[in-house]
Amino acid sequence: VKSQTVIIDSELIAKDRSETHGKFSTNAVLYCVAREKQVKSVLKPDGCYFKEEVALTGAPRFDFYSEEREKLIVLKPHRIGTETDETFKKSKTFNFWNDLISSKKLQFAMLRYGYKGVLCLPEEYKAFKDSFAENRYFRISDEYTFKGSLLVTDFYPGFEYAYNEKPVIYAHFISAEDFYELNPHRRGMFNFKNSGFGKVCHSGEASDEIISLMKQKAVMPDEYKERTDAFFSFKDKNNCQRVYDEMMKL
């Protein structure tokens, strides 16, 4: 039986992938994309695919992101620059997240509304795990969980939470420009202010926004629900089925 190549592209941000995913590189007979806005980027002439070779299916991985909503506040820092043992505790990243999990005001509100919290460290920060002040309200974890009822991050889009209409908060304790100076490959990929799925908070605003959302039973505001509807082509957990159906047509 002659094999055929199918590309299942779960990338959610449209960008030029012709060099690695183009027709001449892969000889694929089917290219499955996650969002409608990506279709144009893989069609001829740049992506070198014909219209009939591209299928809008949604991203299969999103079928498996939990809709479960534990009364859990999930904190997810993004790596910002390169840190060492000597510099990490002096960094704005460490001081922001450590101050947040140590906030008495936030802890009191968590006790009042019945929430727990988890700080999920990226791979680059796992070596600094013991630096954080773990407490009865926030544990420190090496694994990212999708079971929380709200997500607090910095420069991570939070697609997994937005897909299930769980509120997202972006804590920009440094400016976006400073972040992109340290992470130039991320520049222009996602506009948090205009396209984000939650409020962009500065300085000490994040804890107040968390408390406000807890008080509202962690329901995503309508403004951001509308953004998820506009961003995701499907939110029905049938992405795998659509990929399978397209492959069966070959």
Side-chain angles (χ1 to χ4, degrees):
V1 178
K2 186 178 179 180
S3 64
Q4 294 177 302
T5 300
V6 174
I7 294 179
I8 304 171
D9 191 349
S10 292
E11 179 64 58
L12 294 176
I13 300 174
K15 57 184 178 181
D16 182 10
R17 293 158 73 80
S18 58
E19 186 174 333
T20 56
H21 290 59
K23 181 78 172 179
F24 297 126
S25 301
T26 66
N27 199 31
V29 297
L30 174 64
Y31 196 116
C32 298
V33 297
R35 295 178 61 218
E36 189 171 358
K37 286 189 176 182
Q38 292 170 279
V39 173
K40 185 178 179 181
S41 68
V42 298
L43 291 177
K44 280 180 171 288
D46 296 332
C48 301
Y49 289 91
F50 291 104
K51 187 175 181 179
E52 59 270 21
E53 295 174 319
V54 179
L56 175 61
T57 60
R61 62 190 171 98
F62 279 79
D63 288 352
F64 303 97
Y65 291 143
S66 177
E67 294 182 77
E68 188 175 342
R69 295 171 185 257
E70 296 179 5
K71 298 190 79 173
L72 181 69
I73 300 167
V74 177
L75 311 183
K76 181 177 173 55
H78 187 286
R79 182 183 66 82
I80 301 177
T82 302
E83 301 290 354
T84 65
D85 291 336
E86 292 74 27
T87 63
F88 185 68
K89 277 197 169 184
K90 299 177 183 178
S91 69
K92 291 182 179 180
T93 298
F94 170 76
N95 283 289
F96 171 78
W97 292 106
N98 199 58
D99 287 350
L100 186 63
I101 66 175
S102 303
S103 167
K104 298 302 181 185
K105 179 181 179 180
L106 178 57
Q107 291 175 359
F108 178 79
M110 292 169 69
L111 181 64
R112 177 180 180 183
Y113 296 113
Y115 280 77
K116 291 290 186 180
V118 57
L119 175 61
C120 304
L121 298 179
E123 184 66 34
E124 298 85 355
Y125 291 164
K126 289 179 181 179
F128 310 125
K129 182 177 180 179
D130 292 339
S131 299
F132 292 94
E134 189 171 52
N135 52 62
R136 60 179 290 198
Y137 299 95
F138 284 97
R139 60 184 175 86
I140 315 299
S141 176
D142 292 339
E143 296 183 358
Y144 180 35
T145 177
F146 307 125
K147 295 184 178 181
S149 53
L150 69 95
L151 173 70
V152 185
T153 183
D154 38 38
F155 293 93
Y156 179 74
F159 296 131
E160 306 87 354
Y161 276 73
Y163 187 78
N164 287 313
E165 295 186 356
K166 299 178 181 182
V168 180
I169 297 170
Y170 302 105
H172 287 188
F173 48 88
I174 65 171
S175 70
E177 186 56 36
D178 285 345
F179 173 77
Y180 293 128
E181 282 288 325
L182 295 167
N183 301 269
H185 64 287
R186 294 286 305 279
R187 186 182 295 274
M189 290 179 63
F190 190 78
N191 188 311
F192 292 91
K193 183 177 180 180
N194 298 328
S195 303
F197 308 112
K199 183 177 180 179
V200 176
C201 296
H202 302 281
S203 301
E205 298 173 344
S207 59
D208 290 336
E209 184 66 10
I210 296 171
I211 293 169
S212 176
L213 285 169
M214 285 193 292
K215 188 176 181 179
Q216 299 167 33
K217 300 183 179 179
V219 174
M220 178 178 272
D222 290 341
E223 173 188 358
Y224 301 114
K225 283 184 181 179
E226 291 174 5
R227 288 189 184 182
T228 68
D229 290 337
F231 187 87
F232 297 103
S233 296
F234 305 102
K235 291 195 294 183
D236 57 8
K237 302 288 187 179
N238 291 324
N239 301 307
C240 289
Q241 183 65 49
R242 277 186 289 272
V243 171
Y244 174 80
D245 291 343
E246 292 294 333
M247 292 173 67
M248 290 300 99
K249 296 176 185 177
L250 297 174

